[in-house]
Amino acid sequence: DIQMTQSPSSLSASVGDRVTITCRASQGISNYLAWYQQKPGKVPKLLIYAASTLQSGVPSRFSGSGSGTDFTLTISSLQPEDVATYYCQKYNSALQHTFGQGTKLEIK
Amino acid sequence: EVQLVQSGAEVKKPGESLKISCKGSGYSFTSYWIGWVRQMPGKGLEWMGIIYPGDSDTRYSPSFQGQVTISADKSISTAYLQWSSLKASDTAMYYCARSRDGMDVWGQGTTVTVSS
């Protein structure tokens, strides 16, 4: 099974900061990688798919990059409403769409 | 509007059976995979499995194979997740979500509580 490992597990940053979260796959998954945001008590929301394609309606301060085994989610200027847990997910086959363990983002 | 509407919260005893539902509307239900995701209290997202309602092709995560059954009735645009014998460890929030390039439309979640 392909494992998805996110880092860091948690981070604290200031409003306006550039924030980067990484996701590493144990084997290559091309660009079959999605990012989700889950605010406390809410349903997860798709932010990015195909590693770098912004889902409709998602603010442009969010961006994704990477291919193969290493991926990043970047928030260019952190806003208070971005407090959430972020998950990556691979979907390169119908067999296992594994999620990363999550990164909890807080405001300093 | 594209949406998935899940059945309501359930409280069950260990050993009981349960079937929860996820009804799609606003899109071609038979043209997208539907996935199920578990979130245990205070924990992360776990992908359980996926079904293609068009032909009922179903795949399971090894972690959930044999523990749950995923099915769909395309005539009523509804997917299901069922257990034959619940355990206390099945207590969690369960989400269904439309799946193609990522999971882009999510149900509101169904809370399942298993307690004696």
Side-chain angles (χ1 to χ4, degrees), chain B residues 39-108:
Chain B
Q39 188 165 39
M40 299 176 76
K43 302 299 183 183
L45 304 176
E46 299 175 90
W47 186 82
M48 302 175 71
I50 201 165
I51 187 165
Y52 191 74
D55 61 6
S56 291
D57 185 6
T58 307
R59 318 291 176 87
Y60 293 92
S61 163
S63 299
F64 292 94
Q65 179 85 47
Q67 308 304 308
V68 297
T69 301
I70 294 170
S71 61
D73 184 341
K74 63 184 179 182
S75 70
I76 55 171
S77 300
T78 301
Y80 302 96
L81 178 66
Q82 69 180 85
W83 295 258
S84 59
S85 181
L86 286 160
K87 310 179 190 69
S89 57
D90 293 318
T91 294
M93 177 73 82
Y94 293 88
Y95 295 102
C96 65
R98 189 177 78 166
S99 187
R100 180 177 280 180
D101 286 311
M103 302 176 108
D104 66 337
V105 178
W106 291 67
Q108 81 277 19

Side-chain angles (χ1 to χ4, degrees), chain A residues 1 32 34 36 38 42-46 49-50 55 87 89 91 94-101, chain B residues 33 37 39 43-47 50 59-62 95 99-104 106-109:
Chain A
D1 294 351
Y32 295 102
Y36 301 87
Q38 187 179 31
K42 301 298 186 183
V43 176
K45 174 186 174 182
L46 177 65
Y49 63 93
Q55 175 70 353
Y87 297 91
Q89 182 200 28
Y91 59 94
L95 294 177
Q96 267 279 59
H97 292 191
T98 311
F99 287 98
Q101 81 277 17
Chain B
W33 293 83
V37 175
Q39 188 165 39
K43 302 299 183 183
L45 304 176
E46 299 175 90
W47 186 82
I50 201 165
R59 318 291 176 87
Y60 293 92
S61 163
Y95 295 102
S99 187
R100 180 177 280 180
D101 286 311
M103 302 176 108
D104 66 337
W106 291 67
Q108 81 277 19

Side-chain angles (χ1 to χ4, degrees), chain A residues 11-13 19 75 78 82-86 103-107:
Chain A
L11 78 152
S12 181
V19 171
I75 307 173
L78 185 65
D82 299 335
V83 169
T85 300
Y86 293 83
T103 296
K104 187 174 183 179
L105 174 59
E106 298 175 329
I107 299 288

